Amino acid sequence: MAPRHSADSTAAKSALRDQVLAGRKHRPLDAAADVAASISRVALAWAPVRDAATVAAYVSVGSEPGTGLLLDALVAAGKRVLLPVVLPGLDLDWAVYAGRDSLAPAVRGLLEPTGERLGVDAVGQADLVLVPGVAVSSTGDRLGQGGGCYDRALPRVTPGTPVAVVLYDDEVGLAVPTDPHDVRVGFAMTAGGVVALTTTAG
């Protein structure tokens, strides 16, 4: 079942999303590699990453903070990396990342792994989950691209597993409109470091 949104929250989310994405388009292209390298360094220095055997992550596209270096660094560090595969109903299946040659173009301009599908519940195997986003509030309210994929997938994450949204520094701590189905995240990861968010029951 698709998440239900109120008209007010939908409009507010769209306005904030448009604002942030417009800002991303104006970021210097020559800084993208530095951001990706910094995010990789930040991630590998974070204790939950160091301690994880399996990490659920994703392939960045477009103007998103780059995750390509991070994915390869995780594999080089001996981690099992799970990547999402978008299903027709916008739920997420998962497959193991086996290097950049194992990725193929998919729906919504994404790159997805071509390996064996592990099922929608495979994200529950992860010791750490890294998710994309557009913005996050100081209390962990995450704004995504609007498809609701992660609102479907995150309830399957094992309770207590760290979940971090990967963003630019100035996209953390914004006032994010919410709906009852929205799933909060516990951390924001940026090129500047990892920020613990004050999540509350909701």
Side-chain angles (χ1 to χ4, degrees):
M1 179 182 295
R4 289 181 294 178
H5 303 260
S6 73
D8 289 344
S9 70
T10 297
K13 286 181 176 181
S14 294
L16 179 57
R17 188 179 294 113
D18 290 346
Q19 175 186 334
V20 174
L21 293 180
R24 284 185 176 183
K25 290 180 181 178
H26 290 92
R27 294 184 184 276
L29 290 177
D30 57 1
D34 290 339
V35 169
S38 294
I39 287 173
S40 181
R41 285 195 297 270
V42 165
L44 293 178
W46 191 32
V49 173
R50 293 199 309 267
D51 296 342
T54 298
V55 177
Y58 66 98
V59 182
S60 60
V61 294
S63 60
E64 291 179 333
T67 62
L69 291 175
L70 171 57
L71 296 178
D72 291 337
L74 290 171
V75 172
K79 313 297 182 184
R80 178 175 179 253
V81 178
L82 303 181
L83 297 180
V85 177
V86 179
L87 298 173
L90 298 183
D91 206 339
L92 296 179
D93 203 334
W94 299 87
V96 174
Y97 176 58
R100 300 188 189 193
D101 291 341
S102 70
L103 301 175
V107 298
R108 302 167 75 92
L110 301 174
L111 289 172
E112 295 180 343
T114 57
E116 177 187 358
R117 305 283 181 89
L118 303 177
V120 296
D121 293 324
V123 69
Q125 303 170 12
D127 304 304
L128 169 73
V129 181
L130 302 177
V131 301
V134 176
V136 73
S137 73
S138 59
T139 54
D141 298 306
R142 169 189 161 273
L143 180 66
Q145 293 284 359
C149 296
Y150 282 91
D151 288 320
R152 294 171 173 86
L154 288 179
R156 303 185 186 107
V157 174
T158 301
T161 300
V163 178
V165 57
V166 182
L167 296 169
Y168 293 100
D169 291 289
D170 57 4
E171 296 168 354
V172 178
L174 303 184
V176 174
T178 62
D179 286 294
H181 67 266
D182 292 333
V183 180
R184 287 188 171 113
V185 298
F187 301 90
M189 179 181 292
T190 74
V194 176
V195 178
L197 306 171
T198 308
T199 57
T200 57

